[in-house]
Amino acid sequence: MKNFEYARARSVDGAIQLSTSESRFLAGGIDLVGEMKEYIVSPNRVIDLKTIPDLDRIDTSSGTWKLGANVTIAEIAKNRQIIATLPGLAEAASEVGSPQIRNVATLGGNLAQHSRCWYYRHRDLRCLKRGGSTCYAREGENKYHSLFSGNPCISPAVSNLAVILAALDARVNVRRGDTEQNLTIGELYSDAWNNPLAHNSLQQGDLIVDVEIPTQKNRSTYLQVSEKSEFDWALVSCAAAGRNTGGHWADITVFLGAVAPTPYRVDSPLLEGSELSKDAIESIAESIASKATPLTHNGYKVPIAQALVRRALARIVT
Ligand SMILES: Cc1cc2nc3c(=O)[nH]c(=O)nc-3n(C[C@H](O)[C@H](O)[C@H](O)COP(=O)(O)OP(=O)(O)OC[C@H]3O[C@@H](n4cnc5c(N)ncnc54)[C@H](O)[C@@H]3O)c2cc1C
Ligand code: SF4
């Protein structure tokens, strides 16, 4: 690993001031340290965010809850209020990695984590995402890759939390220099849809401060299929959320994870009705196949995505 300076931030302002064109923020370090060991990133300064007071707070005092960027994934999974009010969020957190990872990894780091594509993570390869000229996965081992992409890189976004936060209409507060950005999850990832070099829309020095989650959607769920039951990423994940008042549905949203460089919205006019029949759920799930562009080795993801959409919608409406 290349030598680097280590700096402890005491405030969000302090972290921004410490930031340089070659520095990186450190939260739990699960992703960043791995990348540094493999020389995928070699910052000149690492700025520890864990020393910033209050960034680990969960504020439930209003109808829109605020979770600080340093809240750990374990805390999200076990927090009683989250389990009761936003069950899909707790379910998504409890599926991340392993207990050891969840105890250390943070909300901010989970949203800002980089591609898990094995070509990107190989220290000796320089694929498109690392500034090279080739996507090795397109004609190579693409079993874990995207079914949908707006650019030649087919590495999917794998953050569990991004998928459920998209379904819950969460917004992310980001400090960019002296300004504050309030981004939807779609906006937080939109650059990755268009630009093979991007993992998300964060610019150098952007700091995720907290995430705002409206609690109006009183039903939510998160499901995933993985090869292993622990210590593994989702092959495909699915989050669904909606508001049920007196048996009438509103604002149902469904997102898929690990199939696109952003959480992928399952769009259908059938989601806009106030009732969701079994036939409607079936049509929504079926519609995914015609939009997907499977590669040599990842076509198996289509029926998994369809099954997860069926199960997630059945779970929230029953
Ligand atoms: C074996 C294994 C299995 C895993 N399985 C899953 C899984 O199933 N689902 C899943 O979602 N994830 C999974 N992960 C990924 C893991 O959840 C992330 O690596 C972790 O959440 C990153 O959080 P961190 O706090 O350690 O971030 P760090 O490693 O500290 O940071 C990650 C990135 O985010 C940046 N960053 C950190 N905090 C901020 C901030 N506040 N603002 C701006 N940038 C910031 C850092 O500079 C870095 O680029 C797995 C990881 C491993 C090793
Ligand atoms: S999918 Fe993206 S990260 Fe993977 S080899 Fe292709 S360009 Fe690189």
Side-chain angles (χ1 to χ4, degrees):
M1 193 189 286
K2 197 187 102 179
N3 280 345
F4 58 90
E5 287 177 16
Y6 169 77
R8 288 193 179 99
R10 303 289 177 198
S11 64
V12 170
D13 283 339
I16 299 292
Q17 280 160 18
L18 284 165
S19 171
T20 71
S21 60
E22 288 177 55
S23 64
R24 296 295 296 274
F25 294 128
L26 171 77
I30 300 283
D31 192 36
L32 181 64
V33 175
E35 281 200 306
M36 289 170 67
K37 283 186 185 165
E38 294 297 328
Y39 293 89
I40 295 164
V41 296
S42 299
N44 63 1
R45 178 181 292 168
V46 166
I47 304 161
D48 196 342
L49 303 178
K50 289 281 208 146
T51 43
I52 303 179
D54 296 338
L55 272 198
D56 59 355
R57 281 190 56 202
I58 297 179
D59 179 356
T60 59
S61 59
S62 74
T64 297
W65 292 5
K66 239 183 207 188
L67 273 60
N70 284 348
V71 173
T72 63
I73 293 172
E75 178 58 35
I76 296 172
K78 71 173 189 224
N79 183 286
R80 284 171 193 278
Q81 283 178 288
I82 293 178
I83 292 169
T85 307
L86 304 169
L89 180 59
E91 288 160 9
S94 68
E95 293 277 6
V96 170
S98 63
Q100 293 88 340
I101 289 170
R102 295 193 287 275
N103 281 338
V104 175
T106 64
L107 169 59
N110 187 265
L111 293 177
Q113 65 178 289
H114 285 182
S115 163
R116 296 305 310 185
C117 172
W118 37 30
Y119 297 106
Y120 169 82
R121 294 271 164 174
H122 194 293
R123 87 164 59 179
D124 301 324
L125 290 178
R126 226 168 140 253
C127 71
L128 267 184
K129 202 163 222 46
R130 287 173 62 185
S133 56
T134 307
C135 169
Y136 298 106
R138 276 207 173 261
E139 304 300 328
E141 294 297 334
N142 47 42
K143 172 180 175 185
Y144 298 121
H145 290 72
S146 298
L147 296 172
F148 314 90
S149 183
N151 77 81
C153 170
I154 46 168
S155 172
V158 291
S159 159
N160 290 16
L161 300 186
V163 183
I164 180 69
L165 289 171
L168 289 168
D169 305 322
R171 299 189 75 99
V172 183
N173 288 315
V174 173
R175 264 294 289 277
R176 177 172 294 165
D178 291 334
T179 67
E180 284 180 12
Q181 314 282 318
N182 180 253
L183 307 177
T184 61
I185 296 294
E187 288 164 345
L188 183 68
Y189 289 97
S190 57
D191 283 9
W193 179 266
N194 296 316
N195 177 1
L197 292 166
H199 302 274
N200 48 55
S201 311
L202 294 174
Q203 299 174 6
Q204 173 62 27
D206 278 4
L207 177 69
I208 297 174
V209 178
D210 53 40
V211 177
E212 294 173 3
I213 313 171
T215 52
Q216 283 82 356
K217 288 189 173 174
N218 53 1
R219 300 298 294 268
S220 65
T221 193
Y222 171 93
L223 297 167
Q224 70 174 50
V225 168
S226 316
E227 285 177 316
K228 294 182 282 174
S229 60
E230 276 283 324
F231 215 65
D232 205 4
W233 282 267
L235 295 169
V236 182
S237 63
C238 180
R243 185 158 46 91
N244 187 288
T245 329
H248 293 284
W249 283 98
D251 299 338
I252 297 182
T253 37
V254 184
F255 280 84
L256 291 166
V259 296
T262 64
Y264 182 79
R265 186 180 197 123
V266 178
D267 244 338
S268 166
L270 295 169
L271 290 167
E272 284 157 26
S274 63
E275 285 173 19
L276 202 55
S277 66
K278 229 175 165 189
D279 287 347
I281 293 177
E282 190 54 37
S283 301
I284 295 164
E286 283 299 315
S287 70
I288 295 166
S290 60
K291 296 174 191 158
T293 316
L295 303 153
T296 341
H297 304 295
N298 71 351
Y300 74 94
K301 286 193 176 196
V302 174
I304 295 180
Q306 292 176 315
L308 288 179
V309 168
R310 275 184 210 109
R311 284 182 213 163
L313 282 172
R315 227 194 211 196
I316 65 161
V317 299
T318 50

